[in-house]
Amino acid sequence: MASKKTSQGRIRLTQRPRRNRRTEALRALMRETVLQPGDFILPAFVMEGKNQRVPISSMKNQARLSIDLLLDLCKEASDLGISGINLYPVVPDAKKDKYAKESANPNGLLQDAISQIKAKVPGLAIFGDVAMDPYSTDGHDGLVMGDEIINDASLPILAEMSIAQAKAGVDFVAPSDMMDGRIGYIRKALDEAGYEHVGILSYAAKYASVFYGPFREALDSAPRSGDKKTYQMDPANKREAIREALLDIQEGADMVMVKPAGAYLDVISTIRSKVTVPVAAFQVSGEYAMIHAAAEKGWIDAARAMTESLTSIKRAGADVILTYFALEMARALK
Ligand code: PBG
């Protein structure tokens, strides 16, 4: 050992990293990653009716809300400094069909929610989910024929859905379907319809993940048969995620997303280093549910797990984070 022991048993070290961690003030100065309410987009579930609040049993503090109550939530989110809301519709079975026709209804639930939020909470950016599953009797993100998810025939449906949301006043459409070529197809359709100002947040690297379970319960949107592995990505792959992100950017994506977040921090980090558009990450329903489930058992502290998980997602390189913790985290930051 190069350093010499003193009489008190101390040794001489030039480098003592602990000096930078000695007090809270010093730790604040040394902090490399700082969360802000403006980093967050809150995912939310909208349902039909008035004064409806139906809790989602697997997701503590999360509920399906009718538009009137959703407006209150949006107001609260906006007042807390949260940047955006990402909307998913709960579609009654009677309005589901093979072609997800309801998704293009100009007076449909999601469109109605978008226009009312735009009117009442103009400061909040609105992101609209684009995929067939909430509207489809098959529960898949694209069109099902036999046991196949048909790529190209899904694209016009996704484009019509995007235009309907654009008409209602959405700021960004967020295609979560993972069909090939949909970003270019949707971009062209939006431009031709006069919505060149509407952005596209592409779920570029969306993995076939077990962590979406609670979400599918919330929307009652689980695939009726099969799984999503022919369109969502294999969790084992990272190079493919880069390929997907670069393709979506070529096709016109304004922002690309990695989903889920917590188990894919390496993918977030790599994509951040490869692209110049903003990178979003989605801390999905299962990630949220796991933290609360462990906390309910008394095994971890939910508030600290929230902060640590979100800080890690930002540290990995996410510029924007979709999280069900958005409100709680924003409150904690106040
Ligand atoms: C489907 C969609 C899913 C989620 C967002 N959009 C589920 C799926 O792909 O089956 C998951 C979100 C979450 O788990 O929080 N278009």
Side-chain angles (χ1 to χ4, degrees), residues 2 50 69 127 129 176 180 193 220 275:
K50 264 201 154 28
L69 299 187
F127 293 74
D129 184 63
S176 65
D180 290 336
D220 187 22
V275 306

Side-chain angles (χ1 to χ4, degrees), residues 10-317:
R10 298 193 191 102
I11 53 176
R12 291 188 64 178
L13 288 177
T14 312
Q15 294 294 332
R16 287 187 182 272
R18 287 185 57 188
R19 277 197 283 265
N20 291 1
R21 304 196 284 263
R22 204 165 49 81
T23 70
E24 182 47 39
L26 291 171
R27 289 192 291 275
L29 287 170
M30 309 304 164
R31 193 155 296 137
E32 299 174 33
T33 308
V34 181
L35 295 168
Q36 302 167 185
D39 297 336
F40 304 124
I41 295 173
L42 173 69
F45 304 98
V46 58
M47 65 178 289
E48 293 186 345
K50 264 201 154 28
N51 201 25
Q52 296 294 309
R53 183 181 195 284
V54 182
I56 301 159
S57 60
S58 52
M59 299 174 73
K60 192 177 177 202
N61 302 334
Q62 304 295 316
R64 309 150 182 100
L65 300 174
S66 54
I67 294 177
D68 50 341
L69 299 187
L70 180 65
L71 287 169
D72 297 339
L73 179 71
C74 288
K75 179 82 177 39
E76 197 185 349
S78 182
D79 289 347
L80 281 165
I82 290 166
S83 297
I85 186 141
N86 189 65
L87 298 172
Y88 298 98
V90 184
V91 181
D93 279 345
K95 292 187 179 164
K96 294 186 183 185
D97 66 19
K98 189 160 197 65
Y99 297 93
K101 282 200 206 78
E102 178 61 18
S103 65
N105 178 356
N107 305 310
L109 174 64
L110 191 63
Q111 281 66 262
D112 203 8
I114 290 167
S115 58
Q116 292 201 45
I117 296 168
K118 204 24 75 191
K120 306 246 168 68
V121 196
L124 200 63
I126 308 176
F127 293 74
D129 184 63
V130 170
M132 288 176 66
D133 54 326
Y135 303 95
S136 153
T137 39
D138 293 306
H140 275 287
D141 295 20
L143 183 61
V144 180
M145 288 295 173
D147 52 12
E148 253 191 81
I149 320 300
I150 307 289
N151 194 85
D152 299 10
S154 301
L155 304 188
I157 298 170
L158 300 167
E160 286 306 312
M161 198 181 307
S162 302
I163 289 172
Q165 294 181 17
K167 265 187 197 144
V170 87
D171 292 291
F172 264 68
V173 290
S176 65
D177 54 282
M178 289 298 280
M179 296 299 118
D180 290 336
R182 88 262 202 229
I183 301 301
Y185 198 97
I186 290 170
R187 184 68 273 160
K188 184 161 175 284
L190 286 172
D191 289 354
E192 283 172 3
Y195 298 108
E196 63 286 330
H197 60 283
V198 172
I200 302 180
L201 163 59
S202 165
Y203 286 63
K206 178 175 179 183
Y207 288 87
S209 171
V210 72
F211 296 113
Y212 307 148
F215 173 96
R216 292 179 188 170
E217 179 215 315
L219 289 190
D220 187 22
S221 65
R224 208 167 53 177
S225 70
D227 54 40
K228 299 193 173 184
K229 290 181 187 165
T230 67
Y231 47 106
Q232 298 182 349
M233 283 181 48
D234 183 340
N237 294 355
K238 182 154 76 175
R239 289 193 303 266
E240 192 182 355
I242 302 168
R243 182 184 186 207
E244 285 281 6
L246 293 177
L247 271 174
D248 286 356
I249 292 165
Q250 263 173 33
E251 291 178 28
D254 299 287
M255 201 188 307
V256 291
M257 180 145 71
V258 176
K259 175 186 173 185
Y264 297 86
L265 296 179
D266 59 323
V267 180
I268 296 171
S269 165
T270 301
I271 291 199
R272 177 60 290 162
S273 70
K274 299 271 182 193
V275 306
T276 54
V277 298
V279 174
F282 197 146
Q283 184 182 48
V284 299
S285 57
E287 298 177 70
Y288 177 83
M290 285 195 302
I291 288 175
H292 278 302
E296 266 159 32
K297 293 256 190 193
W299 294 341
I300 61 169
D301 180 86
R304 289 177 54 203
M306 162 182 83
T307 305
E308 187 172 331
S309 61
L310 292 170
T311 301
S312 298
I313 293 164
K314 186 163 181 183
R315 189 196 64 233

